[in-house]
Amino acid sequence: MSKSIFYHAGCPVCVSAEHDIINLVGVENVEVVNIGENRNRIPEAEKAGVSSVPALLTPNGNILHINFGASMADVKG
Amino acid sequence: MSKSIFYHAGCPVCVSAEHDIINLVGVENVEVVNIGENRNRIPEAEKAGVSSVPALLTPNGNILHINFGASMADVKG
């Protein structure tokens, strides 16, 4: 995989971080996934190691948790 | 300012995040500052809004706190 994936849940912290990440990395290099709306992507995010959002899954499989917005428990509700 | 600044304190979490950020953003676009060693940069980091390291100051002045490594209080000791 060559793209990063930015997981978020639509919270204000998430949206702000999304803009920053896209500016830094380039929109063509990031897939943005709202796991609040797109709940069938939650298991994949958890498997990748996402424990809070926003989080960036890098092409080499590392997770960068950014400015804490919401825990996965909160997202799952 | 057009470069981002990556503040860290040499902790393992910091080093891992540094590699990821450099891979994503490009080494030419990031200044890396170890505020554990380079303590005269601490006031500047705090003024920019860094409350824990590692953290990335984006060109537009936002702070992205990444995978919690150490609080500024711990860095200052």
Side-chain angles (χ1 to χ4, degrees):
Chain A
M1 109 181 134
S2 60
K3 270 198 178 190
S4 299
I5 304 178
F6 182 81
Y7 292 104
H8 72 101
C11 54
V13 169
C14 295
V15 172
S16 169
E18 177 186 337
H19 293 165
D20 290 327
I21 291 292
I22 286 177
N23 285 340
L24 289 169
V25 178
V27 66
E28 71 279 10
N29 296 317
V30 189
E31 178 187 3
V32 176
V33 176
N34 184 333
I35 54 174
E37 294 176 347
N38 203 344
R39 299 180 65 84
N40 62 339
R41 301 286 297 265
I42 291 179
E44 152 206 318
E46 288 189 309
K47 196 172 168 192
V50 173
S51 58
S52 64
V53 286
L56 187 72
L57 174 61
T58 71
N60 59 12
N62 289 342
I63 292 287
L64 299 177
H65 292 103
I66 301 165
N67 294 347
F68 189 87
S71 71
M72 286 299 271
D74 288 339
V75 173
K76 291 161 83 177
Chain B
M1 109 181 134
S2 60
K3 268 197 177 189
S4 299
I5 304 178
F6 181 80
Y7 293 103
H8 73 101
C11 55
V13 169
C14 296
V15 172
S16 170
E18 177 187 337
H19 292 165
D20 290 328
I21 291 292
I22 286 177
N23 284 340
L24 289 169
V25 178
V27 67
E28 71 281 10
N29 296 318
V30 190
E31 178 187 2
V32 175
V33 176
N34 183 333
I35 55 173
E37 294 175 349
N38 203 344
R39 299 179 65 83
N40 62 340
R41 301 286 298 265
I42 290 178
E44 151 207 317
E46 288 189 308
K47 197 174 166 189
V50 173
S51 59
S52 64
V53 285
L56 188 71
L57 173 63
T58 71
N60 60 11
N62 289 341
I63 292 287
L64 299 176
H65 292 103
I66 301 164
N67 294 346
F68 189 85
S71 70
M72 287 299 270
D74 288 339
V75 173
K76 291 161 83 179

